[in-house]
Amino acid sequence: MNVTSLVKEFFVENEFDLLSEKVAIIRQDGNVLYANSINSLEASNIGALVSGVWQAAQSLSSLVNKSQLSREYRLSFDTSSDGIYILPVSLGESPYYFCSIFKDRMNPGKLKQNMRSVSFLLEAYMREELLSLKAPQDSKESSGYLFENITDAEMDQLFVATGI
């Protein structure tokens, strides 16, 4: 399974896609791994804009604090009920962005806390899944050919029973 499939499975099976009106996991280059948006053009726009705004914010923050890692940051652009919230998420060795666009929320603080919890769970899930994909299988390592020194007569005997 690839990262995109794992992320989609994580969100759909746990119903985290219902967390907000628009939820997306975006690669650093703007490609969308997962979005609960039905419109693919809208999902692509969200991906491009989120990665751009994050990179711009990172550049601005480097003027102030060169020592802090971007992992410690989050980006929020909101009012008391509507807004955008972006968290950095590490899936494997690559950085991604977890974005939520919300509208008419009674308690955006709770949504943000839920997003932090979901991002933690997603990172743990991906770490576990990627380790299981990389784990060696319980099979013996072969050290040579499966059949050695087979004579022509033995090969002929293999195919006699089937009539080939």
Side-chain angles (χ1 to χ4, degrees), residues 6-60:
L6 289 171
V7 169
K8 182 176 182 178
E9 178 181 301
F10 173 82
F11 274 91
V12 174
E13 281 187 9
N14 297 302
E15 296 184 345
F16 292 138
D17 56 333
L18 304 175
L19 190 65
S20 176
E21 287 76 9
K22 306 286 182 212
V23 174
I25 298 291
I26 301 150
R27 275 191 342 206
Q28 204 169 18
D29 63 2
N31 284 328
V32 178
L33 264 67
Y34 171 77
N36 66 352
S37 175
I38 297 171
N39 185 338
S40 63
L41 179 61
E42 181 182 62
S44 297
N45 288 339
I46 290 170
L49 293 169
V50 166
S51 69
V53 76
W54 186 270
Q55 290 173 23
Q58 236 178 349
S59 293
L60 283 172

Side-chain angles (χ1 to χ4, degrees), residues 155-164:
M155 286 299 288
D156 290 339
Q157 189 63 30
L158 285 172
F159 295 105
V160 167
T162 60
I164 297 177

Side-chain angles (χ1 to χ4, degrees), residues 60-68 73:
L60 283 172
S61 70
S62 71
L63 297 173
V64 177
N65 240 339
K66 294 182 189 267
S67 64
Q68 282 188 312
Y73 286 99

